[in-house]
Amino acid sequence: MYSAEICSKSLDFREDVDAQLIPVRLPKTVQEQCKAITRAFWLQWTAIWRLKPNGEYVFLEANPSPMFLHFEQQTGFPITQELVNLLMSDIN
C-alpha cells in the first residue's frame, strides 16, 4: 500500500506543474478500510482516498485504473514493478 499527499494550489493538481507528492503513512484504520474497499470491488489496484483540510479521510472513488507514473516519479514508490509482479503472478 502506497499513499502520498498531493500539495497543490490548483483544484486539479494535474494542471499544477509545481504540485508536490509527499509520501505519507495512512492511519491503520484507513489502511484496513482501503483493503476492505479493494476486496469488495474485486480489485487488485486502485486509488481511493482524499484528505479534507480538517484531517478527515473521505472515500473519493475506487478507481480501477489510476494514473501512477507521476506518483512513482515523485515519490520513488516502485509501483510499476509491483504491477509487473502482480501481472506475472497471474500467469504463473
Side-chain angles (χ1 to χ4, degrees), residues 36-73:
I37 289 168
T38 302
R39 283 191 300 268
F41 287 109
W42 294 60
L43 297 171
Q44 294 288 327
W45 158 250
T46 186
I48 297 180
W49 295 101
R50 180 153 199 116
L51 181 62
K52 291 171 53 174
N54 68 358
E56 176 187 5
Y57 287 90
V58 293
F59 177 76
L60 178 63
E61 64 181 350
N63 183 341
S65 185
M67 63 173 217
F68 65 91
L69 289 177
H70 184 70
F71 279 74
E72 185 174 67
Q73 291 166 348

Side-chain angles (χ1 to χ4, degrees), residues 20-39:
Q20 294 183 337
L21 283 78
I22 302 165
V24 297
R25 184 160 188 78
L26 292 174
K28 192 72 166 168
T29 55
V30 175
Q31 289 182 35
E32 293 304 319
Q33 289 171 337
C34 288
K35 292 175 189 175
I37 289 168
T38 302
R39 283 191 300 268

